[in-house]
Amino acid sequence: MRALPHGPRTPRSLLGALLLALATVAAVLAAAPAAHADTLVCEQYGSTTIQGRYVVQNNRWGTSAPQCVTATDSGFRVTQADGAVPTNGAPKSYPSVFNGCHYTNCSPGTNLPAQVSGIASAPSSISYGFVGSAVYNASYDIWLDPTPKKNRVNRTEIMIWLNKVGPIQPIGSQAGTASVGGRTWQVWRGSNGSNDVISFVAPSAVASWSFDVMDFVRNTIARGMAQNNWYLTSVQAGFEPWQNGAGLAVNSFSSTVNLGTPGTGSPGAPGEPVTACEVAYATNVWSDGFTADVTVANTGSTPVDSWTLSFTLPSGQRVTNAWNATVSGPTGAVTATGLAHSARVAAGASQTFGFQGTYSGTFSKPSGFSLNGARCA
């Protein structure tokens, strides 16, 4: 039977087609993730939260000149930083992002303050954006105190200078060098009158890095500047500008504190493995993606049940899918948990899982792994 030719559409049919098209557009818009509006903070000690777990703070403590930061989904950027202070004195401010508590301002869901003796590992990662038209350092600021203090200044301050631009130097004087976290640092020691300060200064700029904060904490303890029964109160990352600073950015930041058996047998040996496990991390990398096969081996004499492996992906990497484990946290701090058939790692045995991901920039591997809260080799 011959089909009838299509005739012109009636107004009713055109209206129906239009309504159908509008419904389709509405469904697409509803399914799309909502855009996150950046938040401008200009108050002297103003702050806001990002990722539901970190605090971004303006922290303009050393100058009356205007300063503003813009909090983004993953970090912040300095959008205004007027004025200058002498480079032989204190900086203007410390715009930063942190996990923990700072002058009664605590990040959502943090488990800090936490006693050092009860911390297995504290993986963190950072990606910076630098400028050349300013005098500043790009640094972590890690605070320790004999009490679980959430207000006022702490007893010991650990600074990790990942970049130094201009004629500035840490508090005190250089006390030698140290190898911490697989890198070599200049070590400076001093006091600013209200607390002791130890600074680890990179010999050249480090734009992004993943590491364990506890390596620096234990090195500080080994130098007699803190004790195992003290408390880690906050992990902060940002900038100390002396002159200008607009355009400086923390592109991404992550910080996790894993409670459990401490990471080393003694505070004088930072970075040693702490539990009877080993992790092999094999990758296949192409232009913008990679796969990773991860083998968790139990080298002890007792089985490990319901295992969870924690690690921090380097900046720019994102997990897209996984197999033989549940992998949560697509970027930054990641955890992999065994499935029902792979939840036990027998003594002398191993379990293997894998995942696929994307990356930007230079590809690198995670710097450390923790099994059920204790670090592995």
Side-chain angles (χ1 to χ4, degrees):
M1 182 175 180
R2 184 177 180 182
L4 294 175
H6 291 288
R9 293 195 175 188
T10 64
R12 178 175 295 178
S13 63
L14 288 173
L15 179 60
L18 178 60
L19 290 175
L20 179 60
L22 290 174
T24 301
V25 171
V28 171
L29 291 175
H36 179 275
D38 292 347
T39 301
L40 182 67
V41 180
C42 295
E43 295 80 5
Q44 182 176 8
Y45 299 111
S47 67
T48 188
T49 59
I50 63 171
Q51 301 181 39
R53 58 184 302 188
Y54 306 122
V55 172
V56 169
Q57 60 177 353
N58 195 29
N59 201 9
R60 178 177 55 82
W61 62 269
T63 179
S64 59
Q67 175 178 288
C68 297
V69 299
T70 298
T72 64
D73 283 336
S74 56
F76 71 91
R77 61 184 178 275
V78 180
T79 49
Q80 182 178 6
D82 296 350
V85 295
T87 55
N88 62 350
K92 297 188 297 180
S93 58
Y94 186 57
S96 51
V97 55
F98 69 84
N99 171 25
C101 295
H102 180 77
Y103 282 81
T104 72
N105 189 4
C106 294
S107 58
T110 187
N111 54 3
L112 296 178
Q115 198 163 38
V116 170
S117 61
I119 299 175
S121 63
S124 186
S125 67
I126 189 75
S127 172
Y128 282 115
F130 299 141
V131 298
S133 57
V135 174
Y136 66 93
N137 69 45
S139 61
Y140 269 73
D141 207 3
I142 301 159
W143 290 94
L144 302 171
D145 196 79
T147 65
K149 188 178 291 182
K150 296 182 180 181
N151 61 345
R152 303 189 309 278
V153 71
N154 287 186
R155 177 78 63 84
T156 295
E157 177 183 13
I158 302 172
M159 297 205 73
I160 308 173
W161 287 35
L162 296 175
N163 192 17
K164 180 178 79 73
V165 178
I168 55 175
Q169 68 180 42
I171 289 172
S173 58
Q174 187 171 349
T177 61
S179 178
V180 185
R183 294 179 178 273
T184 299
W185 311 84
Q186 296 177 1
V187 181
W188 292 64
R189 294 181 59 165
S191 172
N192 64 13
S194 59
N195 59 274
D196 295 325
V197 183
I198 180 169
S199 301
F200 298 85
V201 182
S204 59
V206 180
S208 61
W209 195 34
S210 298
F211 67 104
D212 188 347
V213 166
M214 296 307 295
D215 288 345
F216 290 89
V217 171
R218 293 185 182 105
N219 190 285
T220 300
I221 292 173
R223 296 171 185 273
M225 297 184 67
Q227 298 179 26
N228 272 319
N229 61 356
W230 285 23
Y231 291 81
L232 173 65
T233 64
S234 68
V235 176
Q236 310 182 20
F239 304 94
E240 288 186 323
W242 275 258
Q243 298 176 6
N244 304 320
L248 293 169
V250 169
N251 298 319
S252 65
F253 169 79
S254 70
S255 169
T256 303
V257 176
N258 297 315
L259 304 181
T261 304
T264 62
S266 67
E272 293 180 356
V274 299
T275 193
C277 63
E278 294 180 354
V279 174
Y281 191 87
T283 59
N284 178 31
V285 182
W286 56 94
S287 59
D288 58 356
F290 69 100
T291 59
D293 289 310
V294 187
T295 300
V296 183
N298 179 2
T299 58
S301 58
T302 59
V304 176
D305 289 307
S306 301
W307 60 269
T308 295
L309 188 72
S310 302
F311 54 98
T312 300
L313 286 176
S315 176
Q317 296 185 17
R318 174 179 291 272
V319 176
T320 56
N321 62 79
W323 51 92
N324 210 36
T326 299
V327 178
S328 61
T331 62
V334 172
T335 58
T337 303
L339 304 178
H341 67 276
S342 61
R344 164 173 281 219
V345 188
S350 63
Q351 292 286 356
T352 298
F353 70 94
F355 60 90
Q356 184 172 346
T358 60
Y359 75 96
S360 59
T362 302
F363 181 83
S364 59
K365 298 180 180 181
S367 59
F369 299 86
S370 296
L371 182 64
N372 291 355
R375 282 184 49 200
C376 293

